[in-house]
């Protein structure tokens, strides 16, 4: 049947349409949110389905038909429920033309952070496969319109966790990489860098919490666990058959320093890869700016610290990060005014 021609301009602020693909991804018999149907007689939306109710097969078929006709809607008040659901199949977010940019970015942030947490909790093939699949959705979103990287930058995490640190480092790192490569980047390298950045905190996630929070001096064994965590993370990735140099360098080099004072191998200068330098700079910036124990540095102070530490952090990468973050701060200030 031909899709109904609905003028949805007056509906966009409160509702958006559910496409057949999105609808098909929901549980068949009980949906987790309310749905609304466009009533042509009154030219308004009317309640159609109440969340949690059982759907008989006849109504399932009718609902699919209504969706194909463009008459099925969800309230934007239920966006967080919708986002949690669609995050399970993140590729659907690129197919839904009714989501706003802010909603797309929220779903991406939610999905990737959840997948990072899942992988760190249980680093097995299935969890890695889901995470890698979602990283490719992120890179596809970015390259479909390069300004999309700015939309992702506008919604970084504020509070500290290992997963939040990896997510923020990844978005900033991809922005730095694209700024450095221009139009000369290769998609495969972008995908590998994304996977490396999103997973680079894996080794840290395997260190017992009591060691990370210990106030007294660490034992030699405890210190060894901290010093060698990047190598341990890379080792787990290899066991999962990840042998790509870019991915492994993000793990191995994100705590290395240009002057050789970093861990785990004390590499210096040109011994470090481009991708390792990006991971190092962005990881340090996010460690400084994420709120932990009610403390954090403002973006501008973190940039000043990195710029003043040229012996430790690659000055070219720091300069690119500085440019990206200053533009981000300008957009944030403009939105406040």
């Amino acid at each position: 049947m031909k899709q109904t021609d609905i003028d949805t301009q007056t509906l966009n602020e409160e509702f958006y349409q559910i496409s057949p693909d999105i609808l098909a991804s929901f549980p068949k018999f009980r949906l987790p949110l309310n749905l609304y149907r466009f009533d042509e007689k009154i030219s308004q939306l009317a309640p159609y389905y109440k969340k949690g109710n059982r759907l008989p097969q006849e109504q399932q078929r009718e609902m699919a038909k209504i969706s194909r006709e463009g008459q099925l809607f969800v309230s934007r008040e239920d966006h967080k429920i919708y986002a949690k659901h669609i995050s399970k199949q993140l590729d659907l977010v690129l197919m839904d033309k009714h989501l706003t940019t802010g909603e797309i970015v929220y779903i991406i942030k939610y999905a990737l952070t959840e997948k990072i947490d899942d992988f760190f909790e249980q680093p097995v093939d299935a969890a890695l496969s889901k995470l890698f699949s979602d990283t490719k959705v992120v890179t596809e979103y970015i390259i479909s319109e390069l300004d999309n990287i700015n939309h992702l930058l506008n919604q970084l995490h504020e509070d500290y966790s290992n997963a939040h640190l990896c997510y923020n480092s990844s978005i900033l790192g991809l922005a730095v990489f694209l700024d450095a490569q221009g139009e000369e980047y290769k998609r495969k390298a972008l995908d590998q860098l994304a996977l490396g950045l999103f997973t680079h905190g894996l080794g840290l996630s395997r260190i017992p919490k009591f060691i990370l929070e210990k106030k007294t001096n660490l034992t030699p064994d405890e210190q060894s666990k901290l010093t060698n965590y990047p190598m341990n993370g890379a080792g787990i990735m290899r066991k999962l058959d990840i042998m790509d140099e870019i991915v492994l360098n993000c793990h191995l080099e994100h705590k290395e320093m240009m002057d050789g004072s970093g861990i785990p191998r004390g590499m210096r200068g040109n011994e470090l890869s481009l991708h390792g330098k990006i991971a190092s700079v962005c990881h340090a910036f996010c460690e400084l700016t994420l709120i932990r124990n009610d403390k954090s540095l403002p973006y501008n102070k973190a940039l000043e610290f990195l710029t003043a530490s040229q012996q430790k952090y690659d000055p070219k990468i720091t300069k690119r990060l500085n440019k990206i973050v200053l533009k981000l701060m300008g957009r944030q200030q403009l939105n406040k005014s």
Side-chain angles (χ1 to χ4, degrees), residues 83-132:
K84 185 176 181 179
H85 167 75
I86 202 173
S87 70
K88 306 299 182 183
Q89 290 182 255
L90 190 59
D91 58 315
L92 294 176
V93 79
L94 302 183
M95 301 168 61
D96 194 332
K97 305 303 181 183
H98 307 295
L99 294 170
T100 67
T101 298
E103 289 164 347
I104 291 172
V105 172
Y106 176 89
I107 294 170
I108 287 174
K109 183 172 76 168
Y110 181 95
L112 265 295
T113 305
E114 182 181 54
K115 296 300 194 306
I116 293 168
D117 265 328
D118 290 345
F119 177 59
F120 286 176
E121 183 176 341
Q122 195 172 12
V124 295
D125 283 323
L128 179 60
S129 178
K130 290 178 182 178
L131 176 56
F132 194 22

Side-chain angles (χ1 to χ4, degrees), residues 78-318:
D78 284 336
H79 175 66
K80 288 189 176 180
I81 299 174
Y82 186 78
K84 185 176 181 179
H85 167 75
I86 202 173
S87 70
K88 306 299 182 183
Q89 290 182 255
L90 190 59
D91 58 315
L92 294 176
V93 79
L94 302 183
M95 301 168 61
D96 194 332
K97 305 303 181 183
H98 307 295
L99 294 170
T100 67
T101 298
E103 289 164 347
I104 291 172
V105 172
Y106 176 89
I107 294 170
I108 287 174
K109 183 172 76 168
Y110 181 95
L112 265 295
T113 305
E114 182 181 54
K115 296 300 194 306
I116 293 168
D117 265 328
D118 290 345
F119 177 59
F120 286 176
E121 183 176 341
Q122 195 172 12
V124 295
D125 283 323
L128 179 60
S129 178
K130 290 178 182 178
L131 176 56
F132 194 22
S133 177
D134 279 5
T135 64
K136 290 180 180 179
V137 175
V138 176
T139 54
E140 179 64 29
Y141 177 65
I142 292 171
I143 66 174
S144 67
E145 174 56 61
L146 289 182
D147 192 51
N148 284 340
I149 190 67
N150 292 324
H151 300 315
L152 292 167
L153 289 167
N154 288 340
Q155 284 197 42
L156 297 176
H157 289 290
E158 296 182 358
D159 296 324
Y160 178 87
S161 75
N162 193 12
H164 287 183
L165 175 61
C166 289
Y167 179 85
N168 284 13
S169 299
S170 301
I171 301 304
L172 285 163
L174 293 172
V176 169
F177 177 75
L178 290 171
D179 185 71
Q181 298 294 306
E183 296 182 358
E184 301 301 318
Y185 74 89
K186 295 181 180 179
R187 175 64 188 270
K188 184 177 181 180
L190 188 68
D191 288 341
Q192 290 176 355
L193 177 62
L195 181 62
L197 290 171
F198 280 121
T199 62
H200 79 271
L202 174 60
L204 188 64
S205 73
R206 313 316 290 169
I207 298 177
K209 191 175 181 180
F210 80 88
I211 294 179
L212 297 175
E213 297 179 349
K214 193 173 182 180
K215 303 298 182 183
T216 56
N217 291 337
L218 298 175
T219 67
D221 180 62
E222 291 168 346
Q223 186 60 56
S224 175
K225 284 184 170 63
L226 275 179
T227 301
N228 292 315
Y229 88 75
M231 294 185 70
N232 293 335
I236 295 172
M237 296 299 283
R238 290 192 185 98
K239 288 179 181 178
L240 295 171
D241 292 326
I242 301 297
M243 301 297 177
D244 299 307
E245 192 174 85
I246 292 175
V247 177
L248 296 178
N249 284 343
C250 290
H251 283 258
L252 292 168
E253 299 176 17
H254 72 271
K255 294 296 285 186
E256 298 284 7
M257 304 292 178
M258 293 289 288
D259 61 1
S261 63
I263 60 170
R265 295 178 292 178
M267 299 171 69
R268 65 174 61 239
N270 291 332
E271 293 176 346
L272 299 169
S273 67
L274 167 66
H275 310 94
K277 292 174 182 176
I278 291 174
S280 174
V281 171
C282 293
H283 178 95
F285 177 82
C286 294
E287 277 195 318
L288 292 168
T289 55
L290 283 167
I291 301 171
R292 178 164 37 177
N293 299 325
D294 296 324
K295 295 180 180 179
S296 67
L297 278 184
Y299 282 4
N300 61 324
K301 295 298 182 182
L303 290 174
E304 289 175 8
F305 172 82
L306 294 176
T307 301
S309 305
Q310 292 189 24
Q311 75 279 11
K312 294 183 179 297
Y313 302 103
D314 184 273
K316 292 181 180 178
I317 302 299
T318 301

